[in-house]
């Protein structure tokens, strides 16, 4: 295996300053390349940088993995992974039926052979990284249009990934953009494709408090689950097969059942997904005025529809569970962000900083003249997005909310893209991704429910009808203007389409675009008519991306000349470290929220009515004070969750919360409502992450549900 580590680029990166200005104290999702520079000891971490990451030996990072969009950690030599309940949720849902309801009842694999396959789950472990900025950027030429620029950079990144995968068979390569338009890093990952569910608590523990408590503190949610990664008998990465054997990680994390207390230092390693701290005031304005409110409206409506449909029939509720939960999570987060952006006056603050930068540029026009239009040009892109936003955001939802249209889009898109050379295809249809894409499609089809889909389609058509620009989309205005009622149109399309049938979809997957055109299915036919409009939108997005890519690159350059403080690249799904303390916070005047909850609070919140139901075995164990060795020494009870001042975002779900000595003492799963704004701006005063205490995890598994062999495996 090739182990590459290029420090040169990181030195370059260090010189760059973020447009969002100097970092707040303790802000930071540090790339692993920064470990030697951030003063681990000063921050209370007792490990040396090379004990955390060492490309040429074993280190803590070998025990951390990415589980789909979440993070997990290996907690045994046999590939046992601890992550969140909400990260394993899809696997739990897919394994559930109304008769065998793993969501409601939970799941314990009594032995290895009972572990359940988690379809379409993958696990990655970061092995190495290398700077490829110059290789990527060398293909961008001044004479290119912005669309050509995006396509060229995209193609180059794919070529580098394919070359790296060829050199490192079985591994996965990804080129990540660190600073937009500036720096690119190739990450190599060990890539495991057989993942199984080992233990899930009932959803009443794993998501105790439901959406009412989501993004809130105090919290009493046992948001954890156990999974296991498998390889072929020869240790190589392989698709699921019964004869596969548990993966042997190079390193696993020591589980420290002694836990933590207030004031202790903790750090997290994980794969934070996306932050937008390095964006301009004009971006914030677009988010605040257009995108976030639209998301809130569209998602809250869809959640209501799914809940209504599921209320009458448990098997329908199970089908909708994953989608409904994930929309609800984003909907509430978006509401939190809208409140937070206003409260923190983020747009105004960024405007002030940008005015200062513009004055600096204007004062040195001879030398900096080339930057004078950077900020207005970025502003113009977001201005256009603001004007086009209502149509574009609703169009995108039209091919997502009604699942039949989503299936039809994937089929048409796949057939179109498959006809192109591999590197020119959209990423989901490249050979390396195609089987996952089609597997996901078939899993989604399995969750299809006609009556809900009819409501979704009708709701989307009603919404689009109110947006005058829908008339630009001929197949859409044709349907809206047809004189038939929208409900009738939706009912006919849904009842006549066969795209809810997995066998038919499987059949369609084999068809070329010409064959699909000849297929007599109304949803497919309508999508074939709509498809050129979706392509136009995709090209428009790429053109904007190309423009912003170049402009943000310039912005970073000039910002670098203006400021000399620290910087960090936005989160982009690559491995980061963040450090903080277990500590209280004050969300509003005169209220201080302390950082540790206990099982007593769980009892106080339990009403017996969803989402505040606590399973009887848990209630009994609390009432009998059967805490085993897991009581908090100072509090005398089992702790449930805790708060800490790290810098996290989505994707850090499932990250290990690690003590100063490198031992696992909890599992990260959320942030406070005030901290939803983290994605735009971090602040020590209100940014708190939330984790489940490992003592609660061990107590639930062993004392409450008696799965002692699992806790023995974890504590070995
Ligand atoms: N619970 C969160 C999520 O699902 C994790 C976070 O964003 O902090 O995205």
């Amino acid at each position: 295996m090739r182990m590459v580590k290029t420090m040169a680029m990181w030195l370059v990166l260090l010189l760059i300053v973020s447009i969002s200005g100097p970092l707040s104290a303790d802000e930071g999702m540090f790339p692993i390349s920064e470990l030697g520079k951030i003063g681990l000891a000063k921050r209370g971490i007792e490990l040396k940088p090379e004990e955390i990451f060492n490309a040429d030996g074993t280190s803590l990072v070998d025990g951390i993995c990415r589980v789909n969009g979440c993070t997990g950690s290996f907690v045994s030599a046999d590939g046992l992974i601890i992550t969140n309940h909400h990260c394993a949720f899809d696997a739990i849902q897919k394994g559930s039926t109304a008769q065998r309801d793993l969501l409601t009842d939970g799941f314990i694999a009594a032995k290895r052979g009972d572990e359940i396959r988690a379809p379409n789950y993958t696990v990655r472990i970061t092995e190495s990284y290398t700077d490829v900025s110059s290789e990527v950027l060398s293909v961008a030429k001044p004479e290119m249009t912005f669309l050509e620029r995006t396509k060229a950079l995209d193609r180059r990144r794919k070529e580098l990934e394919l070359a790296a995968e060829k050199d490192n068979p079985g591994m996965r390569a990804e080129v990540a953009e660190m600073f937009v338009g500036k720096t690119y890093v190739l990450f190599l990952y060990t890539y495991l494709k057989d993942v199984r569910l080992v233990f899930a608590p009932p959803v009443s523990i794993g998501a105790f408090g439901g959406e009412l408590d989501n993004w809130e503190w105090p919290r009493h949610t046992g948001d954890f689950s156990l999974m296991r990664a498998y390889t072929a008998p020869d240790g190589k990465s392989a698709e699921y097969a019964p004869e596969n054997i548990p993966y042997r990680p190079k390193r696993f994390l020591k589980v420290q059942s002694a836990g933590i207390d207030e004031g202790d230092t903790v750090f997290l390693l994980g794969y934070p997904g996306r932050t937008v701290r390095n964006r301009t005031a004009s971006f914030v304005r677009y988010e605040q005025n257009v995108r976030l409110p639209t998301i809130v409206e569209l998602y809250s409506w869809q959640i209501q529809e799914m809940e209504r449909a599921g209320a009458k029939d448990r098997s329908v509720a199970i089908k909708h569970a994953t989608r409904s939960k994930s929309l609800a999570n984003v909907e509430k987060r978006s509401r939190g962000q809208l409140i937070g952006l206003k409260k923190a006056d983020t747009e105004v603050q960024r405007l002030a900083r940008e005015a200062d930068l513009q004055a600096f540029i204007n004062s040195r026009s001879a030398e900096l003249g080339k930057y004078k239009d950077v900020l207005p040009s970025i502003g113009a892109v977001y201005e256009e997005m603001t004007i086009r936003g209502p149509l574009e955001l609703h169009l995108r939802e039209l091919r997502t909310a009604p699942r039949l249209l989503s299936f039809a889009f994937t089929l048409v898109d796949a057939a179109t893209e498959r006809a192109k050379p591999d590197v020119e295809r959209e990423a989901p249809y490249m050979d390396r991704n195609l089987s996952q894409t089609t597997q996901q499609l078939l899993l989604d089809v399995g969750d299809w429910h006609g009556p809900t889909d009819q409501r979704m389609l009708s709701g989307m058509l009603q919404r689009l009808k109110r947006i005058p620009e829908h008339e630009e989309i001929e197949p859409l205005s044709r349907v809206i203007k047809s004189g038939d009622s929208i409900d009738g149109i939706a009912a006919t399309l849904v009842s006549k389409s066969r795209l809810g049938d997995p066998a038919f979809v499987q059949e369609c997957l084999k068809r070329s675009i010409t064959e699909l055109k000849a297929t007599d299915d109304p949803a497919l036919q309508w999508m074939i008519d709509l498809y050129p409009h979706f392509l136009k939108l995709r090209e428009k997005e790429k053109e904007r991306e190309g423009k912003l890519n170049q402009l943000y690159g310039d912005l970073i350059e000039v910002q670098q000349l203006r400021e000399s403080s620290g910087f960090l690249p936005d989160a982009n799904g690559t491995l980061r470290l963040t450090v903080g303390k277990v500590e209280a916070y004050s969300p509003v005047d005169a209220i201080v929220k302390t950082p540790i909850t206990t099982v007593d609070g769980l009892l106080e919140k339990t009403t017996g009515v969803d989402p505040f139901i606590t399973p009887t075995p848990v209630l009994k164990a609390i009432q009998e004070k059967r805490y085993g060795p897991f009581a908090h020494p100072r509090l005398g009870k089992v702790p449930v969750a805790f708060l800490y001042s790290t810098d996290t975002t989505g994707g850090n779900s499932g990250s290990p919360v690690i003590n100063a000595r490198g031992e696992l003492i909890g599992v990260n799963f959320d942030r406070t409502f005030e901290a939803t704004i983290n994605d735009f701006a971090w602040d020590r005063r209100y940014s708190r992450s939330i984790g489940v205490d490992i003592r609660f995890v061990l107590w639930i598994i062993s004392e409450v549900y008696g799965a002692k062999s699992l806790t023995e495996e974890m504590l070995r």
Side-chain angles (χ1 to χ4, degrees):
M1 184 177 65
R2 194 174 64 137
M3 287 292 188
V4 204
K5 201 160 56 149
T6 308
M7 297 309 288
M9 82 153 253
W10 300 102
L11 295 175
V12 174
L13 281 184
L14 255 189
L15 295 172
I16 300 173
V17 217
S18 127
I19 186 64
S20 64
L23 296 171
S24 312
D26 283 342
E27 171 178 3
M29 298 176 179
F30 301 106
I32 41 172
S33 55
E34 301 301 294
L35 298 180
K37 301 169 203 136
I38 59 174
L40 292 175
K42 197 178 73 212
R43 292 171 189 270
I45 299 177
E46 293 169 24
L47 305 179
K48 297 194 193 67
E50 61 276 16
E51 292 176 280
I52 297 179
F53 179 69
N54 181 356
D56 305 316
T58 349
S59 60
L60 209 52
V61 160
D62 294 308
I64 314 294
C65 55
R66 183 168 168 164
V67 184
N68 284 8
C70 288
T71 303
S73 2
F74 290 109
V75 285
S76 89
D78 284 333
L80 190 66
I81 294 168
I82 190 160
T83 184
N84 290 146
H85 182 271
H86 79 261
C87 297
F89 194 91
D90 194 35
I92 307 169
Q93 182 239 313
K94 294 289 183 293
S96 292
T97 59
Q99 293 71 40
R100 187 183 182 229
D101 190 341
L102 308 183
L103 277 172
T104 302
D105 303 334
F107 173 73
I108 306 171
K111 51 185 189 326
R112 298 263 161 99
D114 296 343
E115 294 171 5
I116 301 177
R117 179 179 182 192
N120 243 14
Y121 271 69
T122 59
V123 160
R124 314 171 175 209
I125 304 122
T126 301
E127 298 295 349
S128 65
Y129 55 85
T130 184
D131 171 23
V132 291
S133 307
S134 54
E135 282 103 313
V136 172
L137 288 168
S138 66
V139 299
K141 304 282 179 250
E143 65 276 12
M144 282 176 168
T145 63
F146 292 120
L147 179 59
E148 285 166 350
R149 181 186 167 94
T150 302
K151 288 190 172 169
L153 293 179
D154 208 42
R155 186 192 167 104
R156 188 74 193 116
R157 286 166 71 171
K158 287 174 185 157
E159 284 166 354
L160 291 168
E161 288 167 358
L162 291 176
E165 286 175 9
K166 201 159 161 229
D167 287 352
N168 300 277
M171 296 192 75
R172 181 83 181 179
E174 299 287 353
V175 173
E177 185 175 58
M178 306 304 282
F179 280 100
V180 177
K182 253 329 210 210
T183 43
Y184 297 83
V185 176
L186 173 79
F187 286 86
L188 266 184
Y189 300 99
T190 289
Y191 189 54
L192 307 172
K193 292 174 282 195
D194 182 353
V195 185
R196 304 184 194 177
L197 183 67
V198 178
F199 181 97
V203 72
S204 51
I205 296 174
F208 180 81
E211 282 313 310
L212 286 173
D213 269 13
N214 195 16
W215 302 109
E216 305 285 349
W217 183 260
R219 201 63 168 273
H220 299 84
T221 312
D223 193 348
F224 72 92
S225 65
L226 298 175
M227 304 184 94
R228 196 186 301 279
Y230 280 77
T231 64
D234 63 2
K236 293 208 175 102
S237 170
E239 296 289 346
Y240 171 86
E243 67 275 16
N244 283 354
I245 58 165
Y247 170 66
R248 307 281 301 177
K250 278 188 253 164
R251 162 89 197 255
F252 62 90
L253 264 61
K254 179 177 166 39
V255 172
Q256 180 48 269
S257 57
I260 39 78
D261 207 349
E262 188 162 358
D264 288 354
T265 294
V266 291
F267 72 98
L268 266 69
L269 283 159
Y271 290 90
R274 185 165 170 267
T275 54
V276 285
R277 296 178 195 164
N278 295 342
R279 305 280 174 101
T280 56
S282 48
F283 169 79
V284 173
R285 199 177 315 124
Y286 165 72
E287 288 282 301
Q288 215 165 338
N289 297 342
V290 184
R291 199 186 68 85
L292 291 171
T294 309
I295 293 292
V296 170
E297 194 284 315
L298 285 169
Y299 286 15
S300 50
W301 156 64
Q302 290 177 61
I303 296 157
Q304 266 176 27
E305 293 291 1
M306 286 189 269
E307 277 174 359
R308 195 174 308 144
K312 296 173 229 134
D313 183 339
R314 179 67 190 151
S315 65
V316 174
I318 291 174
K319 279 172 189 279
H320 292 331
T322 299
R323 200 170 147 71
S324 172
K325 185 174 170 67
S326 104
L327 294 194
N329 190 44
V330 176
E331 190 271 338
K332 189 164 178 189
R333 183 186 68 200
S334 305
R335 270 192 284 129
Q337 289 175 336
L338 279 168
I339 295 169
L341 286 170
K342 222 181 202 172
K343 200 165 159 194
D345 235 353
T346 313
E347 185 197 342
V348 171
Q349 291 199 7
R350 283 193 197 181
L351 276 174
R353 205 174 299 130
E354 288 165 17
D356 169 73
L357 180 67
Q358 192 67 50
F360 170 72
I361 296 170
N362 296 347
S363 70
R364 302 192 185 185
S365 56
E367 188 200 332
L368 302 180
K370 97 172 231 240
Y371 300 111
K372 85 175 179 342
D373 292 329
V374 169
L375 282 165
S377 304
I378 292 179
V381 177
Y382 294 124
E383 189 53 37
E384 193 215 352
M385 285 167 66
T386 298
I387 295 166
R388 301 293 292 166
L391 178 70
E392 292 182 354
L393 293 167
H394 282 83
L395 265 187
R396 228 169 280 142
E397 210 58 28
L398 176 68
R399 69 163 175 78
T400 313
R403 306 304 291 150
L404 281 185
L405 293 188
S406 153
F407 308 154
F409 179 83
T410 306
L411 288 171
V412 176
D413 209 25
T416 313
E417 292 293 313
R418 272 198 333 253
K420 299 179 184 170
D422 197 39
V423 281
E424 279 169 31
R425 294 181 201 162
E426 291 295 315
Y429 312 107
M430 291 175 73
D431 290 340
R432 65 209 280 260
N433 299 325
L434 195 60
S435 73
Q436 244 180 305
T437 305
T438 53
Q439 200 185 339
Q440 191 58 50
L441 172 64
L442 293 168
L443 288 168
D444 291 344
V445 174
D447 285 338
W448 184 72
H449 179 242
T452 311
D453 228 31
Q454 201 174 306
R455 307 268 310 169
M456 295 292 179
L457 179 54
S458 160
M460 280 317 303
L461 290 175
Q462 304 281 11
R463 282 168 173 76
L464 276 153
K465 189 178 172 184
R466 293 195 288 268
I467 300 171
E469 292 84 359
H470 81 260
E471 301 213 355
E472 295 168 22
I473 319 287
E474 193 279 327
L476 188 58
S477 69
R478 188 205 320 149
V479 166
I480 289 175
K481 274 204 201 112
S482 66
D484 299 336
S485 81
I486 280 184
D487 282 347
I489 296 167
T492 310
L493 190 119
V494 170
S495 64
K496 297 227 162 102
S497 173
R498 291 173 61 202
L499 291 181
D501 170 7
F504 179 66
V505 172
Q506 193 129 33
E507 194 44 48
C508 287
L509 273 168
K510 296 183 204 133
R511 297 187 186 164
S512 67
I513 191 70
T514 322
E515 288 163 337
L516 286 182
K517 281 182 181 162
T519 304
D520 180 21
D521 184 280
L524 207 46
Q525 286 312 319
W526 196 42
M527 182 50 69
I528 286 170
D529 292 347
L530 284 166
Y531 187 67
H533 299 273
F534 284 121
L535 277 193
K536 216 166 118 197
L537 181 58
R538 186 188 269 165
E539 300 256 297
K540 185 80 213 162
E541 283 163 354
K542 286 191 182 194
E543 184 197 316
R544 287 182 192 140
E545 189 189 321
K547 210 181 254 184
L548 290 174
N549 182 283
Q550 189 169 312
L551 290 166
Y552 272 115
D554 289 347
L555 187 61
I556 285 168
E557 254 170 44
V558 67
Q559 191 72 16
Q560 178 184 352
L561 299 169
R562 176 68 183 139
E563 292 182 25
S564 54
S565 51
F567 83 95
L568 279 178
D570 267 315
N572 59 354
T574 59
L575 186 60
R576 306 291 176 99
L577 177 139
T578 170
V579 51
K581 291 210 178 307
V582 178
E583 59 179 311
Y585 85 116
S586 171
V588 284
D589 190 27
I591 290 187
V592 174
K593 294 195 176 186
T594 56
I596 300 175
T597 60
T598 68
V599 287
D600 280 8
L602 184 59
L603 275 192
E604 279 164 14
K605 268 192 192 168
T606 300
T607 58
V609 178
D610 185 45
F612 296 104
I613 300 169
T614 297
T616 312
V618 181
L619 289 177
K620 266 188 89 190
I622 302 174
Q623 276 147 4
E624 291 165 11
K625 297 199 178 351
R626 245 189 306 115
Y627 298 149
F630 304 117
H632 190 293
R634 185 170 56 80
L635 304 171
K637 310 150 201 161
V638 180
V640 179
F642 60 117
L643 271 186
Y644 35 93
S645 53
T646 52
D647 182 357
T648 58
T649 187
N652 275 117
S653 289
S655 288
V657 189
I658 305 170
N659 68 13
R661 293 177 303 286
E663 300 159 334
L664 182 140
I665 44 89
V667 185
N668 184 72
F669 67 91
D670 208 5
R671 282 171 280 161
T672 56
F673 197 59
E674 295 74 24
T676 51
I677 199 207
N678 263 10
D679 298 354
F680 294 84
W682 189 90
D683 195 307
R684 171 90 185 241
R685 285 168 304 164
Y686 55 70
S687 288
R688 291 291 179 280
S689 312
I690 303 173
V692 53
D693 194 300
I694 197 66
R695 288 166 286 197
F696 185 70
V697 172
L698 296 167
W699 179 71
I700 288 285
I701 298 176
S702 61
E703 293 293 325
V704 177
Y705 287 104
K708 294 216 189 293
S709 64
L710 287 173
T711 48
E712 277 161 22
E713 184 179 347
M714 290 166 74
L715 293 169
R716 207 172 282 151

